[in-house]
PDB file of all heavy atoms in Angstrom:
ATOM      1  N   ASN A 338     114.175 100.709 115.372  1.00  0.00           N
ATOM      2  CA  ASN A 338     113.244 101.762 115.812  1.00  0.00           C
ATOM      3  C   ASN A 338     113.587 102.276 117.210  1.00  0.00           C
ATOM      4  O   ASN A 338     113.332 103.445 117.529  1.00  0.00           O
ATOM      5  CB  ASN A 338     111.811 101.245 115.766  1.00  0.00           C
ATOM      6  CG  ASN A 338     111.262 101.223 114.357  1.00  0.00           C
ATOM      7  OD1 ASN A 338     111.529 102.117 113.561  1.00  0.00           O
ATOM      8  ND2 ASN A 338     110.496 100.193 114.016  1.00  0.00           N
ATOM      9  N   LYS A 339     114.169 101.420 118.035  1.00  0.00           N
ATOM     10  CA  LYS A 339     114.530 101.827 119.397  1.00  0.00           C
ATOM     11  C   LYS A 339     115.644 102.872 119.390  1.00  0.00           C
ATOM     12  O   LYS A 339     115.786 103.662 120.325  1.00  0.00           O
ATOM     13  CB  LYS A 339     114.971 100.594 120.188  1.00  0.00           C
ATOM     14  CG  LYS A 339     114.961 100.760 121.690  1.00  0.00           C
ATOM     15  CD  LYS A 339     115.208  99.434 122.390  1.00  0.00           C
ATOM     16  CE  LYS A 339     115.143  99.610 123.907  1.00  0.00           C
ATOM     17  NZ  LYS A 339     115.362  98.322 124.607  1.00  0.00           N
ATOM     18  N   ARG A 342     115.831 108.733 118.170  1.00  0.00           N
ATOM     19  CA  ARG A 342     115.608 109.701 119.243  1.00  0.00           C
ATOM     20  C   ARG A 342     115.594 111.104 118.639  1.00  0.00           C
ATOM     21  O   ARG A 342     116.352 111.402 117.711  1.00  0.00           O
ATOM     22  CB  ARG A 342     116.739 109.638 120.279  1.00  0.00           C
ATOM     23  CG  ARG A 342     116.790 108.346 121.099  1.00  0.00           C
ATOM     24  CD  ARG A 342     115.729 108.383 122.191  1.00  0.00           C
ATOM     25  NE  ARG A 342     115.805 107.249 123.087  1.00  0.00           N
ATOM     26  CZ  ARG A 342     115.184 106.091 122.908  1.00  0.00           C
ATOM     27  NH1 ARG A 342     114.479 105.893 121.804  1.00  0.00           N
ATOM     28  NH2 ARG A 342     115.269 105.140 123.802  1.00  0.00           N
ATOM     29  N   VAL A 353     107.722 117.504 124.495  1.00  0.00           N
ATOM     30  CA  VAL A 353     106.875 116.346 124.772  1.00  0.00           C
ATOM     31  C   VAL A 353     105.833 116.711 125.830  1.00  0.00           C
ATOM     32  O   VAL A 353     106.203 117.205 126.901  1.00  0.00           O
ATOM     33  CB  VAL A 353     107.719 115.163 125.293  1.00  0.00           C
ATOM     34  CG1 VAL A 353     106.882 113.899 125.352  1.00  0.00           C
ATOM     35  CG2 VAL A 353     108.949 114.960 124.430  1.00  0.00           C
ATOM     36  N   GLU A 450      97.027 111.443 124.598  1.00  0.00           N
ATOM     37  CA  GLU A 450      97.830 110.226 124.505  1.00  0.00           C
ATOM     38  C   GLU A 450      96.983 109.157 123.836  1.00  0.00           C
ATOM     39  O   GLU A 450      95.864 108.886 124.275  1.00  0.00           O
ATOM     40  CB  GLU A 450      98.288 109.738 125.876  1.00  0.00           C
ATOM     41  CG  GLU A 450      99.100 108.432 125.796  1.00  0.00           C
ATOM     42  CD  GLU A 450      99.569 107.949 127.154  1.00  0.00           C
ATOM     43  OE1 GLU A 450     100.252 108.746 127.840  1.00  0.00           O
ATOM     44  OE2 GLU A 450      99.250 106.801 127.540  1.00  0.00           O
ATOM     45  N   LEU A 451      97.505 108.583 122.773  1.00  0.00           N
ATOM     46  CA  LEU A 451      96.803 107.535 122.048  1.00  0.00           C
ATOM     47  C   LEU A 451      97.665 106.285 122.042  1.00  0.00           C
ATOM     48  O   LEU A 451      98.809 106.306 121.589  1.00  0.00           O
ATOM     49  CB  LEU A 451      96.519 107.985 120.607  1.00  0.00           C
ATOM     50  CG  LEU A 451      96.050 106.911 119.628  1.00  0.00           C
ATOM     51  CD1 LEU A 451      94.737 106.277 120.074  1.00  0.00           C
ATOM     52  CD2 LEU A 451      95.906 107.490 118.222  1.00  0.00           C
ATOM     53  N   VAL A 452      97.104 105.198 122.573  1.00  0.00           N
ATOM     54  CA  VAL A 452      97.769 103.900 122.505  1.00  0.00           C
ATOM     55  C   VAL A 452      97.095 103.093 121.393  1.00  0.00           C
ATOM     56  O   VAL A 452      95.878 102.886 121.415  1.00  0.00           O
ATOM     57  CB  VAL A 452      97.685 103.139 123.840  1.00  0.00           C
ATOM     58  CG1 VAL A 452      98.298 101.738 123.692  1.00  0.00           C
ATOM     59  CG2 VAL A 452      98.386 103.915 124.947  1.00  0.00           C
ATOM     60  N   LEU A 453      97.887 102.682 120.409  1.00  0.00           N
ATOM     61  CA  LEU A 453      97.410 101.847 119.312  1.00  0.00           C
ATOM     62  C   LEU A 453      97.823 100.414 119.599  1.00  0.00           C
ATOM     63  O   LEU A 453      99.016 100.115 119.720  1.00  0.00           O
ATOM     64  CB  LEU A 453      98.006 102.317 117.989  1.00  0.00           C
ATOM     65  CG  LEU A 453      97.506 103.678 117.485  1.00  0.00           C
ATOM     66  CD1 LEU A 453      98.482 104.275 116.487  1.00  0.00           C
ATOM     67  CD2 LEU A 453      96.126 103.539 116.859  1.00  0.00           C
ATOM     68  N   PHE A 473     103.713 113.889 116.153  1.00  0.00           N
ATOM     69  CA  PHE A 473     103.469 113.357 117.496  1.00  0.00           C
ATOM     70  C   PHE A 473     104.763 112.752 118.012  1.00  0.00           C
ATOM     71  O   PHE A 473     105.705 112.501 117.250  1.00  0.00           O
ATOM     72  CB  PHE A 473     102.347 112.316 117.483  1.00  0.00           C
ATOM     73  CG  PHE A 473     102.498 111.253 116.421  1.00  0.00           C
ATOM     74  CD1 PHE A 473     103.455 110.253 116.523  1.00  0.00           C
ATOM     75  CD2 PHE A 473     101.681 111.277 115.286  1.00  0.00           C
ATOM     76  CE1 PHE A 473     103.600 109.292 115.533  1.00  0.00           C
ATOM     77  CE2 PHE A 473     101.823 110.310 114.289  1.00  0.00           C
ATOM     78  CZ  PHE A 473     102.789 109.317 114.414  1.00  0.00           C
ATOM     79  N   PHE A 474     104.815 112.520 119.307  1.00  0.00           N
ATOM     80  CA  PHE A 474     105.977 111.893 119.925  1.00  0.00           C
ATOM     81  C   PHE A 474     105.653 110.432 120.222  1.00  0.00           C
ATOM     82  O   PHE A 474     104.605 110.121 120.786  1.00  0.00           O
ATOM     83  CB  PHE A 474     106.356 112.609 121.217  1.00  0.00           C
ATOM     84  CG  PHE A 474     106.890 114.002 120.998  1.00  0.00           C
ATOM     85  CD1 PHE A 474     106.057 115.106 121.095  1.00  0.00           C
ATOM     86  CD2 PHE A 474     108.227 114.206 120.669  1.00  0.00           C
ATOM     87  CE1 PHE A 474     106.546 116.385 120.883  1.00  0.00           C
ATOM     88  CE2 PHE A 474     108.719 115.476 120.445  1.00  0.00           C
ATOM     89  CZ  PHE A 474     107.880 116.562 120.552  1.00  0.00           C
ATOM     90  N   VAL A 475     106.573 109.556 119.832  1.00  0.00           N
ATOM     91  CA  VAL A 475     106.398 108.125 120.082  1.00  0.00           C
ATOM     92  C   VAL A 475     107.020 107.841 121.450  1.00  0.00           C
ATOM     93  O   VAL A 475     108.226 107.618 121.577  1.00  0.00           O
ATOM     94  CB  VAL A 475     107.069 107.277 118.989  1.00  0.00           C
ATOM     95  CG1 VAL A 475     106.788 105.794 119.215  1.00  0.00           C
ATOM     96  CG2 VAL A 475     106.586 107.714 117.608  1.00  0.00           C
ATOM     97  N   VAL A 476     106.190 107.859 122.499  1.00  0.00           N
ATOM     98  CA  VAL A 476     106.716 107.799 123.870  1.00  0.00           C
ATOM     99  C   VAL A 476     106.938 106.369 124.354  1.00  0.00           C
ATOM    100  O   VAL A 476     107.640 106.143 125.345  1.00  0.00           O
ATOM    101  CB  VAL A 476     105.805 108.570 124.850  1.00  0.00           C
ATOM    102  CG1 VAL A 476     105.802 110.056 124.516  1.00  0.00           C
ATOM    103  CG2 VAL A 476     104.383 108.016 124.862  1.00  0.00           C
ATOM    104  N   GLY A 477     106.324 105.387 123.691  1.00  0.00           N
ATOM    105  CA  GLY A 477     106.514 104.017 124.130  1.00  0.00           C
ATOM    106  C   GLY A 477     106.050 103.020 123.097  1.00  0.00           C
ATOM    107  O   GLY A 477     105.200 103.329 122.256  1.00  0.00           O
ATOM    108  N   THR A 478     106.619 101.823 123.143  1.00  0.00           N
ATOM    109  CA  THR A 478     106.185 100.746 122.267  1.00  0.00           C
ATOM    110  C   THR A 478     106.555  99.423 122.921  1.00  0.00           C
ATOM    111  O   THR A 478     107.474  99.363 123.743  1.00  0.00           O
ATOM    112  CB  THR A 478     106.815 100.876 120.861  1.00  0.00           C
ATOM    113  OG1 THR A 478     106.201  99.966 119.963  1.00  0.00           O
ATOM    114  CG2 THR A 478     108.310 100.606 120.891  1.00  0.00           C
ATOM    115  N   GLY A 479     105.843  98.367 122.570  1.00  0.00           N
ATOM    116  CA  GLY A 479     106.139  97.070 123.176  1.00  0.00           C
ATOM    117  C   GLY A 479     105.424  95.949 122.452  1.00  0.00           C
ATOM    118  O   GLY A 479     104.563  96.178 121.601  1.00  0.00           O
ATOM    119  N   ILE A 480     105.795  94.728 122.801  1.00  0.00           N
ATOM    120  CA  ILE A 480     105.165  93.535 122.256  1.00  0.00           C
ATOM    121  C   ILE A 480     104.189  92.977 123.279  1.00  0.00           C
ATOM    122  O   ILE A 480     104.443  93.013 124.489  1.00  0.00           O
ATOM    123  CB  ILE A 480     106.238  92.475 121.901  1.00  0.00           C
ATOM    124  CG1 ILE A 480     107.210  93.041 120.859  1.00  0.00           C
ATOM    125  CG2 ILE A 480     105.594  91.201 121.371  1.00  0.00           C
ATOM    126  CD1 ILE A 480     106.562  93.428 119.538  1.00  0.00           C
ATOM    127  N   PHE A 483      99.287  96.070 125.965  1.00  0.00           N
ATOM    128  CA  PHE A 483      99.647  97.267 126.722  1.00  0.00           C
ATOM    129  C   PHE A 483      99.153  97.131 128.158  1.00  0.00           C
ATOM    130  O   PHE A 483      98.003  96.766 128.411  1.00  0.00           O
ATOM    131  CB  PHE A 483      99.022  98.498 126.056  1.00  0.00           C
ATOM    132  CG  PHE A 483      99.215  99.775 126.819  1.00  0.00           C
ATOM    133  CD1 PHE A 483     100.454 100.396 126.827  1.00  0.00           C
ATOM    134  CD2 PHE A 483      98.169 100.357 127.521  1.00  0.00           C
ATOM    135  CE1 PHE A 483     100.642 101.583 127.529  1.00  0.00           C
ATOM    136  CE2 PHE A 483      98.341 101.546 128.215  1.00  0.00           C
ATOM    137  CZ  PHE A 483      99.587 102.161 128.210  1.00  0.00           C
ATOM    138  N   ASP A 488     103.457  99.929 131.827  1.00  0.00           N
ATOM    139  CA  ASP A 488     104.130 100.438 130.627  1.00  0.00           C
ATOM    140  C   ASP A 488     104.382 101.943 130.637  1.00  0.00           C
ATOM    141  O   ASP A 488     105.463 102.395 130.219  1.00  0.00           O
ATOM    142  CB  ASP A 488     103.361 100.017 129.378  1.00  0.00           C
ATOM    143  CG  ASP A 488     103.525  98.530 129.088  1.00  0.00           C
ATOM    144  OD1 ASP A 488     104.608  97.991 129.379  1.00  0.00           O
ATOM    145  OD2 ASP A 488     102.569  97.898 128.610  1.00  0.00           O
ATOM    146  N   PRO A 489     103.435 102.780 131.106  1.00  0.00           N
ATOM    147  CA  PRO A 489     103.729 104.223 131.112  1.00  0.00           C
ATOM    148  C   PRO A 489     104.937 104.599 131.965  1.00  0.00           C
ATOM    149  O   PRO A 489     105.578 105.620 131.706  1.00  0.00           O
ATOM    150  CB  PRO A 489     102.435 104.832 131.671  1.00  0.00           C
ATOM    151  CG  PRO A 489     101.369 103.854 131.280  1.00  0.00           C
ATOM    152  CD  PRO A 489     102.024 102.509 131.423  1.00  0.00           C
ATOM    153  N   ALA A 490     105.251 103.779 132.944  1.00  0.00           N
ATOM    154  CA  ALA A 490     106.424 104.067 133.778  1.00  0.00           C
ATOM    155  C   ALA A 490     107.724 103.977 132.973  1.00  0.00           C
ATOM    156  O   ALA A 490     108.747 104.545 133.368  1.00  0.00           O
ATOM    157  CB  ALA A 490     106.471 103.097 134.957  1.00  0.00           C
ATOM    158  N   GLU A 491     107.672 103.281 131.850  1.00  0.00           N
ATOM    159  CA  GLU A 491     108.856 103.112 131.000  1.00  0.00           C
ATOM    160  C   GLU A 491     108.874 104.080 129.818  1.00  0.00           C
ATOM    161  O   GLU A 491     109.770 104.007 128.964  1.00  0.00           O
ATOM    162  CB  GLU A 491     108.913 101.669 130.465  1.00  0.00           C
ATOM    163  CG  GLU A 491     108.924 100.605 131.541  1.00  0.00           C
ATOM    164  CD  GLU A 491     110.160 100.705 132.423  1.00  0.00           C
ATOM    165  OE1 GLU A 491     111.247 100.960 131.870  1.00  0.00           O
ATOM    166  OE2 GLU A 491     110.023 100.535 133.649  1.00  0.00           O
ATOM    167  N   TYR A 492     107.901 104.986 129.729  1.00  0.00           N
ATOM    168  CA  TYR A 492     107.861 105.933 128.616  1.00  0.00           C
ATOM    169  C   TYR A 492     109.132 106.781 128.567  1.00  0.00           C
ATOM    170  O   TYR A 492     109.703 107.145 129.600  1.00  0.00           O
ATOM    171  CB  TYR A 492     106.675 106.889 128.772  1.00  0.00           C
ATOM    172  CG  TYR A 492     105.323 106.344 128.387  1.00  0.00           C
ATOM    173  CD1 TYR A 492     104.179 107.129 128.595  1.00  0.00           C
ATOM    174  CD2 TYR A 492     105.152 105.090 127.821  1.00  0.00           C
ATOM    175  CE1 TYR A 492     102.922 106.674 128.243  1.00  0.00           C
ATOM    176  CE2 TYR A 492     103.893 104.624 127.477  1.00  0.00           C
ATOM    177  CZ  TYR A 492     102.782 105.417 127.698  1.00  0.00           C
ATOM    178  OH  TYR A 492     101.544 104.960 127.351  1.00  0.00           O
ATOM    179  N   ASN A 493     109.529 107.148 127.370  1.00  0.00           N
ATOM    180  CA  ASN A 493     110.567 108.152 127.173  1.00  0.00           C
ATOM    181  C   ASN A 493     109.880 109.497 126.982  1.00  0.00           C
ATOM    182  O   ASN A 493     109.263 109.755 125.941  1.00  0.00           O
ATOM    183  CB  ASN A 493     111.406 107.811 125.936  1.00  0.00           C
ATOM    184  CG  ASN A 493     112.453 108.873 125.626  1.00  0.00           C
ATOM    185  OD1 ASN A 493     112.635 109.828 126.380  1.00  0.00           O
ATOM    186  ND2 ASN A 493     113.140 108.709 124.503  1.00  0.00           N
ATOM    187  N   LEU A 494     109.970 110.348 127.980  1.00  0.00           N
ATOM    188  CA  LEU A 494     109.358 111.677 127.916  1.00  0.00           C
ATOM    189  C   LEU A 494     110.418 112.775 127.797  1.00  0.00           C
ATOM    190  O   LEU A 494     110.125 113.950 127.981  1.00  0.00           O
ATOM    191  CB  LEU A 494     108.482 111.915 129.158  1.00  0.00           C
ATOM    192  CG  LEU A 494     107.326 110.924 129.355  1.00  0.00           C
ATOM    193  CD1 LEU A 494     106.558 111.257 130.633  1.00  0.00           C
ATOM    194  CD2 LEU A 494     106.377 110.944 128.152  1.00  0.00           C
ATOM    195  N   ASP A 496     113.416 112.569 125.130  1.00  0.00           N
ATOM    196  CA  ASP A 496     113.810 112.764 123.734  1.00  0.00           C
ATOM    197  C   ASP A 496     113.206 111.695 122.817  1.00  0.00           C
ATOM    198  O   ASP A 496     113.903 111.150 121.960  1.00  0.00           O
ATOM    199  CB  ASP A 496     115.338 112.776 123.599  1.00  0.00           C
ATOM    200  CG  ASP A 496     115.974 111.463 124.034  1.00  0.00           C
ATOM    201  OD1 ASP A 496     115.265 110.605 124.601  1.00  0.00           O
ATOM    202  OD2 ASP A 496     117.191 111.283 123.808  1.00  0.00           O
ATOM    203  N   PRO A 497     111.916 111.386 122.962  1.00  0.00           N
ATOM    204  CA  PRO A 497     111.319 110.401 122.043  1.00  0.00           C
ATOM    205  C   PRO A 497     111.316 110.939 120.621  1.00  0.00           C
ATOM    206  O   PRO A 497     111.331 112.155 120.408  1.00  0.00           O
ATOM    207  CB  PRO A 497     109.895 110.240 122.571  1.00  0.00           C
ATOM    208  CG  PRO A 497     109.583 111.568 123.198  1.00  0.00           C
ATOM    209  CD  PRO A 497     110.888 112.012 123.823  1.00  0.00           C
ATOM    210  N   ILE A 498     111.293 110.023 119.667  1.00  0.00           N
ATOM    211  CA  ILE A 498     111.259 110.465 118.285  1.00  0.00           C
ATOM    212  C   ILE A 498     109.933 111.154 117.992  1.00  0.00           C
ATOM    213  O   ILE A 498     108.878 110.747 118.479  1.00  0.00           O
ATOM    214  CB  ILE A 498     111.504 109.282 117.315  1.00  0.00           C
ATOM    215  CG1 ILE A 498     111.883 109.802 115.934  1.00  0.00           C
ATOM    216  CG2 ILE A 498     110.323 108.334 117.274  1.00  0.00           C
ATOM    217  CD1 ILE A 498     113.156 110.587 115.878  1.00  0.00           C
ATOM    218  N   VAL A 503     103.932 106.229 112.262  1.00  0.00           N
ATOM    219  CA  VAL A 503     104.625 105.321 113.177  1.00  0.00           C
ATOM    220  C   VAL A 503     104.152 103.897 112.967  1.00  0.00           C
ATOM    221  O   VAL A 503     102.969 103.648 112.682  1.00  0.00           O
ATOM    222  CB  VAL A 503     104.413 105.736 114.650  1.00  0.00           C
ATOM    223  CG1 VAL A 503     102.947 105.588 115.072  1.00  0.00           C
ATOM    224  CG2 VAL A 503     105.324 104.957 115.589  1.00  0.00           C
ATOM    225  N   GLY A 504     105.071 102.956 113.085  1.00  0.00           N
ATOM    226  CA  GLY A 504     104.715 101.558 112.960  1.00  0.00           C
ATOM    227  C   GLY A 504     104.252 100.979 114.289  1.00  0.00           C
ATOM    228  O   GLY A 504     104.929 101.131 115.305  1.00  0.00           O
ATOM    229  N   VAL A 505     103.095 100.321 114.266  1.00  0.00           N
ATOM    230  CA  VAL A 505     102.644  99.544 115.417  1.00  0.00           C
ATOM    231  C   VAL A 505     103.163  98.126 115.186  1.00  0.00           C
ATOM    232  O   VAL A 505     102.839  97.504 114.179  1.00  0.00           O
ATOM    233  CB  VAL A 505     101.107  99.543 115.536  1.00  0.00           C
ATOM    234  CG1 VAL A 505     100.660  98.697 116.723  1.00  0.00           C
ATOM    235  CG2 VAL A 505     100.586 100.967 115.664  1.00  0.00           C
ATOM    236  N   PRO A 506     103.997  97.589 116.102  1.00  0.00           N
ATOM    237  CA  PRO A 506     104.615  96.290 115.824  1.00  0.00           C
ATOM    238  C   PRO A 506     103.602  95.147 115.805  1.00  0.00           C
ATOM    239  O   PRO A 506     102.550  95.219 116.447  1.00  0.00           O
ATOM    240  CB  PRO A 506     105.623  96.125 116.966  1.00  0.00           C
ATOM    241  CG  PRO A 506     105.125  97.004 118.064  1.00  0.00           C
ATOM    242  CD  PRO A 506     104.432  98.153 117.382  1.00  0.00           C
ATOM    243  N   GLY A 509     101.779  93.891 118.984  1.00  0.00           N
ATOM    244  CA  GLY A 509     102.269  94.811 120.009  1.00  0.00           C
ATOM    245  C   GLY A 509     101.485  96.109 120.046  1.00  0.00           C
ATOM    246  O   GLY A 509     100.374  96.196 119.515  1.00  0.00           O
ATOM    247  N   TRP A 510     102.082  97.119 120.642  1.00  0.00           N
ATOM    248  CA  TRP A 510     101.402  98.407 120.822  1.00  0.00           C
ATOM    249  C   TRP A 510     102.412  99.549 120.670  1.00  0.00           C
ATOM    250  O   TRP A 510     103.621  99.357 120.815  1.00  0.00           O
ATOM    251  CB  TRP A 510     100.741  98.492 122.206  1.00  0.00           C
ATOM    252  CG  TRP A 510     101.715  98.284 123.348  1.00  0.00           C
ATOM    253  CD1 TRP A 510     102.059  97.092 123.925  1.00  0.00           C
ATOM    254  CD2 TRP A 510     102.493  99.295 124.013  1.00  0.00           C
ATOM    255  NE1 TRP A 510     103.006  97.286 124.907  1.00  0.00           N
ATOM    256  CE2 TRP A 510     103.287  98.628 124.985  1.00  0.00           C
ATOM    257  CE3 TRP A 510     102.609 100.669 123.880  1.00  0.00           C
ATOM    258  CZ2 TRP A 510     104.168  99.309 125.821  1.00  0.00           C
ATOM    259  CZ3 TRP A 510     103.495 101.362 124.709  1.00  0.00           C
ATOM    260  CH2 TRP A 510     104.252 100.675 125.671  1.00  0.00           C
ATOM    261  N   THR A 511     101.879 100.721 120.391  1.00  0.00           N
ATOM    262  CA  THR A 511     102.664 101.953 120.330  1.00  0.00           C
ATOM    263  C   THR A 511     101.863 103.067 120.988  1.00  0.00           C
ATOM    264  O   THR A 511     100.651 103.184 120.760  1.00  0.00           O
ATOM    265  CB  THR A 511     102.993 102.324 118.872  1.00  0.00           C
ATOM    266  OG1 THR A 511     103.879 101.340 118.333  1.00  0.00           O
ATOM    267  CG2 THR A 511     103.650 103.684 118.783  1.00  0.00           C
ATOM    268  N   ALA A 512     102.536 103.885 121.790  1.00  0.00           N
ATOM    269  CA  ALA A 512     101.887 105.027 122.462  1.00  0.00           C
ATOM    270  C   ALA A 512     102.453 106.320 121.899  1.00  0.00           C
ATOM    271  O   ALA A 512     103.675 106.486 121.812  1.00  0.00           O
ATOM    272  CB  ALA A 512     102.111 104.961 123.970  1.00  0.00           C
ATOM    273  N   ILE A 513     101.566 107.235 121.510  1.00  0.00           N
ATOM    274  CA  ILE A 513     101.984 108.537 120.986  1.00  0.00           C
ATOM    275  C   ILE A 513     101.316 109.649 121.786  1.00  0.00           C
ATOM    276  O   ILE A 513     100.253 109.445 122.386  1.00  0.00           O
ATOM    277  CB  ILE A 513     101.647 108.686 119.489  1.00  0.00           C
ATOM    278  CG1 ILE A 513     100.128 108.695 119.264  1.00  0.00           C
ATOM    279  CG2 ILE A 513     102.310 107.574 118.671  1.00  0.00           C
ATOM    280  CD1 ILE A 513      99.709 109.017 117.825  1.00  0.00           C
ATOM    281  N   ARG A 514     101.960 110.806 121.800  1.00  0.00           N
ATOM    282  CA  ARG A 514     101.384 111.995 122.453  1.00  0.00           C
ATOM    283  C   ARG A 514     101.498 113.192 121.512  1.00  0.00           C
ATOM    284  O   ARG A 514     102.505 113.352 120.816  1.00  0.00           O
ATOM    285  CB  ARG A 514     102.105 112.311 123.766  1.00  0.00           C
ATOM    286  CG  ARG A 514     101.786 111.346 124.903  1.00  0.00           C
ATOM    287  CD  ARG A 514     102.401 111.813 126.210  1.00  0.00           C
ATOM    288  NE  ARG A 514     102.094 110.898 127.299  1.00  0.00           N
ATOM    289  CZ  ARG A 514     102.443 111.092 128.573  1.00  0.00           C
ATOM    290  NH1 ARG A 514     103.133 112.199 128.897  1.00  0.00           N
ATOM    291  NH2 ARG A 514     102.122 110.211 129.497  1.00  0.00           N
TER     292      ARG A 514
END
Side-chain angles (χ1 to χ4, degrees):
N338 282 322
K339 198 171 182 179
R342 292 282 186 271
V353 190
E450 178 179 304
L451 168 61
V452 176
L453 291 159
F473 49 73
F474 292 96
V475 184
V476 295
T478 190
I480 300 299
F483 174 74
D488 287 327
E491 303 297 320
Y492 282 175
N493 176 5
L494 300 179
D496 62 351
I498 197 63
V503 66
V505 179
W510 57 271
T511 293
I513 66 173
R514 287 187 180 184

